[in-house]
Amino acid sequence: AAGRRLTPADLGLAASIDHGALEVVRRARVAVFSTGDELSDVGTPLASGGIRDSNRYTLIGLLQRLDVEIVDLGIVADDPAALEAVLSAACGAEIAADAIVTSGGVSAGDADYTRDVMARLGDVTFWRLAIKPGRPMAFGRVSHGGRAAWLFALPGNPVAVMVVFHALVRDALLALAGATAEPVLSLVAVCATSIAKLPGRSEFVRAVATRVDGTWRITPTGGQGSGILRSMSEANCLVVLDAARGPVEAGELVEAWPFHGLL
């Protein structure tokens, strides 16, 4: 059916009835870059007080799982003119991206220019989300030279980048590529420990799901700060707590998104 992402079984089925060529939608072209004067790429000297650009590598890995065409634009300085130039090139005829995914520069700091540049080049459909982690995220459309691209401006914290990508960006890029949205696989599990939470925003907790005596059990991976990248590396799922929910007590049931259902 139109809109279906071809699976290995689909390819075998096509071959079994002698269909050697299938009509498909072209791969979406997605430009990706990180912003921040504090960032250094892997293999380059690290300035005093600087950090490595991990987000771009994470995003490229996530995009590779979606089988899109990736254009890596590197690191862009905290400078409005530089940011406008790279966004114009990305959405214009020079690169002709269908979508642009960035990280950093969307909070309310003195050097956070992404939202303002978005507004000059197009529009900001929304800014800020009622989720944790991932509150400072901007989405809109930018254009240059008669071409336009969707812009997903993600937070700078590494875990927030992945949470927002899983929760919002993944399905949007699949739709852009012509794929019919499919529900994310989830499981209901017993929470092994308590989880502190206040009502008012959705929260995504990194955790490990294990099967014990026929029952799924969830254990959070320690500290949940949005800069603790190790907690995401050790996890195999995200616990999804909706906005209305308060604290979770040990033994309560929670919903979890296994990572294999998101990639």
Side-chain angles (χ1 to χ4, degrees), residues 24-212:
V24 298
V25 178
R26 72 166 177 84
R27 292 192 299 164
R29 178 176 293 175
V30 181
V32 60
F33 64 85
S34 298
T35 65
D37 292 340
E38 74 281 8
L39 299 178
S40 295
D41 208 346
V42 174
T44 64
L46 187 64
S48 176
I51 57 175
R52 294 291 178 195
D53 177 21
S54 62
N55 288 345
R56 204 168 91 256
Y57 292 92
T58 297
L59 285 170
I60 288 172
L62 291 168
L63 291 169
Q64 286 173 336
R65 298 293 184 95
L66 298 184
D67 196 28
V68 299
E69 182 182 349
I70 303 166
V71 182
D72 181 3
L73 299 179
I75 300 171
V76 179
D78 283 325
D79 175 74
L83 185 58
E84 185 168 342
V86 73
L87 285 174
S88 297
C91 66
E94 182 178 346
I95 296 174
D98 300 299
I100 306 164
V101 182
T102 72
S103 67
V106 288
S107 295
D110 292 338
D112 295 321
Y113 303 114
T114 301
R115 186 166 52 100
D116 294 337
V117 174
M118 280 178 72
R120 284 203 299 274
L121 294 179
D123 67 81
V124 181
T125 304
F126 64 78
W127 175 59
R128 291 186 178 175
L129 302 170
I131 69 172
K132 178 184 179 180
R135 180 169 177 260
M137 183 260 185
F139 169 75
R141 199 162 172 84
V142 293
S143 61
H144 178 73
R147 284 200 82 267
W150 297 107
L151 175 57
F152 301 87
L154 308 188
N157 283 322
V159 177
V161 163
M162 286 180 275
V163 167
V164 174
F165 188 95
H166 288 324
L168 293 173
V169 180
R170 174 185 177 273
D171 281 357
L173 293 180
L174 287 173
L176 186 63
T180 300
E182 296 181 357
V184 172
L185 296 177
S186 64
L187 57 87
V188 175
V190 176
C191 198
T193 64
S194 61
I195 300 175
K197 182 187 181 297
L198 294 174
R201 61 178 173 177
S202 299
E203 295 193 16
F204 297 83
V205 179
R206 288 85 79 190
V208 176
T210 54
R211 189 82 164 166
V212 180

